[in-house]
Amino acid sequence: MTSTDAETTIRQLQKQNRILAKQLKRSEADRAKLEDFNRDKESILKRIICELQESQSVLEKKGQDLEQTLHELTLTQSKLVEAEKMAALGALVAGVAHEINTPIGTSITLASTLGDETKDLVKAMAQGSLKRSRFQNYLKVAQNCAALLFINLDRAGQLVQSFKQVAVDQSSLEQRTFLVKPYLMEIITSLSPHFKNTYHQIDLVGDDTITLNSYPGAIAQIVTNLVTNSLTHAYGDGDHGHITLEVCAKEHYILLRYKDDGGGISEQNLSKIFEPFFTTARNRGGTGLGLHIIYNLVTQNLQGQISVSSQPDQGTQFDIKLPVHLKKN
Amino acid sequence: MLKIAVGHSNDPDSLEAAQEVLEQCNQDLAGQAPQVGLLLTAFDFEHSIILEQINATFPDLQLIGGTTDGELSSVLEFQQDSVTLMLLASDEVEFQTGVARHVSQNPVELTRQAVVNAQAQLSSDPKFCIAIPESLTASGDDILQGLQTALGATVPILGGATADQAEMKCTYQFFNQEVLQDAVPFLLVGGNVVFSYGVASGWTPIGKRSQITKADKNTIYEIDGKPALDFYHYYINNFVPSAAYPLAVFPAGEDRFFLRGSLTHDPEIGSITVSGDIPTDATVQITEASLDAIISASKAALTDALKHYPGKQPDAALFFSCSWRRYILGTRTKEEYQEISTSLDSNLPICGFYTFGELAPLRDGGPTVFHNTTFTTLLLGTP
Ligand SMILES: Nc1ncnc2c1ncn2[C@@H]1O[C@H](COP(=O)(O)OP(=O)(O)OP(=O)(O)O)[C@@H](O)[C@H]1O
Ligand SMILES: [Mg+2]
């Protein structure tokens, strides 16, 4: 090794030495900093844990409060539903009174006409001036009046009957678990007299094993009303109608789908068909209560939902969703 | 053409270190004369000796710089107690340095005036500005306001505030041959130059949100109606407020935050003086950072800058990273540099330092903001 080589080596070693000494000092200082940092971190995290525990108990309390509020809201809601029902019933009674007024009013007029005619006849008889032609005329009027009285009072009677149906007497409905499709088959069979002398056909499809725990009586009433409607409103004389009733189980409910391929319902009428007294067949004895009754049965007694879709000449379809189990009231 | 040279020495001897750095730079320059230099050194050096050596080698060089809390370069990567020098030479990029002195007397006006004077020397409008301001004597926000007023709102300012290895006592700035305090040296860059930048932090707020109820500029007197110091003591027992756990400051009605670390505190009245101004009605939260979050934020800042870089590829990268990041990263500080430099060309000259406050706009075209705890990166080159 030459002396300059040695000098370079020494210089390099001296440099290394300087660097190492400096780094040692620096890392001591940095270590102290890091220790402080970690001490602070520990203390912060402990605090945060305390805060989290506090906010957890605050949240728990809030959760309880919310539950209480929810409970109160549910109570208020059911009270409101009751109030709404009462209001609807009030409107219904007013409607029924109005409907019944017409046949009763007519009957009163007819009765008084008959009374007046009879009084005149008795007077003429007492005076001995009763002619045969006059007597025959009286008999014609009396027959007419009696016939009209019968029609009008019968109409009033029918209205009262329908009204009784609207306010379905819940206690008369029996709740049980039943196989849906076989039960629907029974209803269809009982409706067969209505299909006599028509070319219409009704099909029932779906899984035979589906069961429901519900009010079978209400379902019978619904299906009967739907079929009657199709027969009265959907088809004309001589039509070959085709009605299908389908039952299928969905994830959380049972779907009843009723479909006819008749004349359908105009958009304007479609929004009103569930309203009480809406009918396009008043002159043929319709009262407009059928679908209203169906609506009440589905949404209240059966705790389900009903929807309709229809277009003129495209038939009408009703979808009824029913819960598999009823909630207890 | 933009030629960039970097030298870096960790020799604690000032003369030896200066000579080693200059030797490395001379090799890179291969005979070209640099116009401007950026000198970043640790606090424990005889800075005048280093400046003398540089001046002896490059008498016409315009130089800015300052003391740091750790140095970074493509030569020695991360070091403490070292000297790093970046020299730039170009015939198409224009450089003009300037300095504002005794800024604490009137930070806004003195910095504004200094920039106006420097701008007069340039033949074109500056594209961006690099500043190495004093951190302890004057408000960083005021200094930025002065710089920004002179430059106009759309010229971004990048850089970092000088540091003193966590002592928080006194820092130095360099301007040509002078070692200064209470000064703001800066460099205006114009001509045929392109650049991009990115900023990210990695800190996350934890714990309760509290309301600042009394504050003035960068001093917080009360939080939630109680002395501000109580807020820190609640979290870190009765130890002094730690800068490594800055406050997340949410301006009223804002869900984004910026960070403010504690510089000093007054145990008598319980106030805390933080690293930047506090808006009125702000809410605050203590923050925490994990090592991984810090490192991935550094990467995010670089990725962002690379994504927006308008040229083909940058000729140099500058990093300004907060000293608090280094305290927390500890021995992983090295790793941070290594991980981010993998996304860059291995021959790219890189220079940077750990600062007491970073300068960068929050978004493109927005005014520059005085940050804490961020990693800020600047990429530059010719188109
Ligand atoms: N299947 C159907 N096809 C076409 N129109 C229908 C059908 N079902 C109901 N409608 C229309 O909806 C109206 C209301 O029906 P709803 O059953 O409520 O009353 P209604 O049948 O007219 O009278 P009620 O049922 O009280 O005897 C009917 O008048 C008719 O216009
Ligand atoms: Mg009907």
Side-chain angles (χ1 to χ4, degrees):
Chain A
M1 197 187 263
T2 66
S3 70
T4 42
D5 276 353
E7 239 170 66
T8 330
T9 316
I10 288 170
R11 280 212 358 243
Q12 273 168 359
L13 283 174
Q14 278 171 334
K15 178 185 169 187
Q16 285 310 322
N17 243 342
R18 285 196 297 269
I19 294 172
L20 285 174
K22 189 79 195 178
Q23 281 180 348
L24 189 68
K25 218 174 92 198
R26 184 63 64 200
S27 59
E28 283 290 310
D30 280 354
R31 204 183 66 195
K33 258 211 144 36
L34 219 56
E35 278 166 5
D36 283 358
F37 172 78
N38 285 333
R39 175 204 65 199
D40 288 350
K41 183 164 200 139
E42 195 182 312
S43 148
I44 288 179
L45 291 181
K46 271 189 196 146
R47 264 299 169 202
I48 301 288
I49 290 168
C50 291
E51 278 182 4
L52 283 177
Q53 281 168 343
E54 268 170 42
S55 49
Q56 189 187 2
S57 53
V58 169
L59 281 178
E60 271 167 16
K61 173 84 177 68
K62 268 200 189 141
Q64 286 165 3
D65 288 355
L66 280 176
E67 232 167 78
Q68 177 64 27
T69 315
L70 184 66
H71 179 69
E72 280 162 15
L73 276 176
T74 319
L75 279 182
T76 319
Q77 189 193 21
S78 57
K79 275 184 202 150
L80 280 173
V81 169
E82 278 308 311
E84 207 176 309
K85 273 194 210 161
M86 292 308 287
L89 192 64
L92 193 64
V93 169
V96 168
H98 177 79
E99 287 290 314
I100 290 181
N101 222 14
T102 316
I104 299 283
T106 313
S107 301
I108 290 170
T109 317
L110 287 168
S112 82
T113 310
L114 190 59
D116 288 350
E117 288 289 330
T118 310
K119 226 195 260 161
D120 286 354
L121 187 81
V122 171
K123 213 160 132 197
M125 258 172 68
Q127 288 169 354
S129 62
L130 182 65
K131 288 191 196 134
R132 185 181 179 82
S133 61
R134 171 124 193 237
F135 186 64
Q136 270 172 346
N137 189 44
Y138 169 79
L139 285 181
K140 230 159 114 191
V141 170
Q143 258 170 354
N144 244 335
C145 278
L148 284 171
L149 271 169
F150 179 77
I151 290 170
N152 278 286
L153 290 174
D154 183 52
R155 169 109 181 120
Q158 266 177 26
L159 283 166
V160 170
Q161 203 53 42
S162 323
F163 180 51
K164 269 168 86 181
Q165 275 187 41
V166 177
V168 190
D169 181 3
Q170 297 202 11
S171 61
S172 74
L173 290 172
E174 167 217 16
Q175 180 181 350
R176 62 180 166 93
T177 303
F178 57 99
L179 283 163
V180 183
K181 200 176 160 202
Y183 183 71
L184 290 172
M185 200 59 234
E186 276 175 40
I187 303 170
I188 289 173
T189 312
S190 75
L191 285 169
S192 54
H194 293 272
F195 287 84
K196 244 189 199 164
N197 306 322
T198 73
Y199 304 104
H200 308 313
Q201 175 195 338
I202 181 162
D203 285 339
L204 176 62
V205 287
D207 185 345
D208 289 298
T209 62
I210 297 170
T211 60
L212 259 182
N213 181 284
S214 195
Y215 298 104
I219 290 173
Q221 205 174 337
I222 290 165
V223 173
T224 308
N225 277 353
L226 288 175
V227 171
T228 325
N229 274 354
S230 292
L231 296 180
T232 25
H233 306 297
Y235 302 115
D237 282 345
D239 280 357
H240 288 68
H242 188 194
I243 297 169
T244 20
L245 181 56
E246 188 186 343
V247 54
C248 52
K250 301 281 175 181
E251 207 174 336
H252 300 294
Y253 59 90
I254 304 278
L255 175 69
L256 280 187
R257 173 164 289 175
Y258 177 90
K259 210 151 86 179
D260 71 37
D261 59 350
I265 304 168
S266 73
E267 197 187 322
Q268 195 189 4
N269 287 349
L270 197 62
S271 59
K272 295 184 212 141
I273 59 169
F274 293 112
E275 286 173 13
F277 306 112
F278 175 79
T279 177
T280 54
R282 196 172 303 278
N283 54 352
R284 288 184 280 143
T287 49
L289 287 173
L291 282 173
H292 181 68
I293 292 167
I294 290 178
Y295 185 86
N296 285 350
L297 287 170
V298 171
T299 57
Q300 290 173 29
N301 301 63
L302 305 181
Q303 298 168 11
Q305 290 165 337
I306 181 166
S307 61
V308 61
S309 59
S310 180
Q311 273 176 21
D313 295 327
Q314 301 291 314
T316 304
Q317 173 175 314
F318 290 93
D319 278 349
I320 299 172
K321 292 180 183 178
L322 300 174
V324 183
H325 296 284
L326 293 181
K327 276 180 277 173
K328 294 216 168 62
N329 291 55
Chain B
M1 191 267 329
L2 178 61
K3 179 75 197 164
I4 295 175
V6 185
H8 197 168
S9 168
N10 59 354
D11 195 326
D13 183 274
S14 302
L15 186 62
E16 297 273 351
Q19 283 170 351
E20 194 180 358
V21 163
L22 284 164
E23 232 168 76
Q24 292 167 3
C25 284
N26 267 326
Q27 258 174 25
D28 283 359
L29 286 168
Q32 269 190 60
Q35 286 117 310
V36 70
L38 177 67
L39 176 70
L40 303 166
T41 79
F43 188 78
D44 291 352
F45 277 105
E46 299 269 352
H47 303 108
S48 53
I49 296 179
I50 300 171
L51 291 172
E52 250 168 51
Q53 290 296 311
I54 296 172
N55 185 250
T57 317
F58 303 111
D60 298 327
L61 188 76
Q62 306 186 68
L63 184 122
I64 64 162
T67 53
T68 74
D69 211 313
E71 306 78 38
L72 296 165
S73 87
S74 42
V75 181
L76 290 183
E77 307 191 338
F78 165 68
Q79 292 292 332
Q80 285 173 280
D81 296 295
S82 71
V83 177
T84 182
L85 177 66
M86 181 179 261
L87 297 175
L88 299 93
S90 177
D91 47 13
E92 48 184 333
V93 183
E94 241 192 312
F95 302 107
Q96 181 60 53
T97 57
V99 68
R101 297 163 197 270
H102 312 297
V103 284
S104 57
Q105 289 173 8
N106 189 347
V108 181
E109 178 51 24
L110 290 168
T111 48
R112 190 195 66 81
Q113 192 57 53
V115 173
V116 170
N117 292 343
Q119 264 173 321
Q121 313 283 317
L122 275 178
S123 69
S124 61
D125 284 341
K127 298 260 173 69
F128 66 96
C129 169
I130 297 173
I132 313 290
E134 165 71 82
S135 55
L136 302 178
T137 60
S139 142
D141 293 279
D142 286 350
I143 290 171
L144 266 184
Q145 195 193 326
L147 295 172
Q148 197 85 71
T149 315
L151 288 165
T154 54
V155 177
I157 303 156
L158 295 131
T162 52
D164 67 347
Q165 239 128 357
E167 296 294 325
M168 301 272 183
K169 286 191 185 116
C170 116
T171 74
Y172 296 122
Q173 300 81 45
F174 309 137
F175 183 68
N176 295 335
Q177 288 197 76
E178 293 175 87
V179 178
L180 304 167
Q181 285 184 55
D182 197 22
V184 182
F186 58 86
L187 165 64
L188 305 180
V189 186
N192 198 17
V193 66
V194 290
F195 69 98
S196 65
Y197 52 84
V199 193
S201 135
W203 261 257
T204 33
I206 51 169
K208 269 194 299 223
R209 241 335 156 94
S210 294
Q211 182 78 43
I212 295 206
T213 41
K214 192 176 167 199
D216 179 32
K217 293 217 70 149
N218 66 336
T219 300
I220 309 173
Y221 293 97
E222 283 177 15
I223 296 174
D224 282 343
K226 282 180 277 187
L229 210 49
D230 288 6
F231 181 79
Y232 259 106
H233 285 167
Y234 171 78
Y235 285 107
I236 53 174
N237 290 326
N238 287 324
F239 301 121
V240 294
S242 166
Y245 296 101
L247 293 175
V249 180
F250 297 80
E254 176 65 78
D255 57 359
R256 289 214 206 160
F257 62 90
F258 55 84
L259 295 156
R260 289 292 180 248
S262 150
L263 295 180
T264 56
H265 62 281
D266 182 341
E268 290 289 307
I269 58 166
S271 69
I272 304 173
T273 300
V274 294
S275 52
D277 291 358
I278 299 284
T280 47
D281 292 331
T283 50
V284 287
Q285 223 172 334
I286 197 129
T287 58
E288 192 265 346
S290 72
L291 303 191
D292 291 333
I294 292 176
I295 292 180
S296 49
S298 309
K299 274 189 170 171
L302 180 62
T303 312
D304 200 34
L306 281 170
K307 205 172 76 194
H308 292 107
Y309 187 70
K312 262 207 213 103
Q313 55 196 43
D315 290 328
L318 293 176
F319 295 153
F320 306 101
S321 184
C322 182
S323 54
W324 295 329
R325 303 173 77 80
R326 187 180 72 66
Y327 307 157
I328 294 170
L329 285 173
T331 54
R332 281 188 73 183
T333 314
K334 256 191 163 61
E335 232 179 276
E336 178 189 36
Y337 179 86
Q338 285 158 359
E339 280 202 43
I340 53 180
S341 61
T342 55
S343 338
L344 293 166
D345 181 349
S346 61
N347 292 321
L348 185 77
I350 301 170
C351 190
F353 74 108
Y354 285 88
T355 82
F356 275 2
E358 305 75 58
L359 314 178
L362 266 183
R363 62 182 77 81
D364 258 344
T368 300
V369 176
F370 187 79
H371 299 273
N372 295 118
T373 75
T374 64
F375 185 88
T376 299
T377 145
L378 167 66
L379 302 175
L380 68 150
T382 47

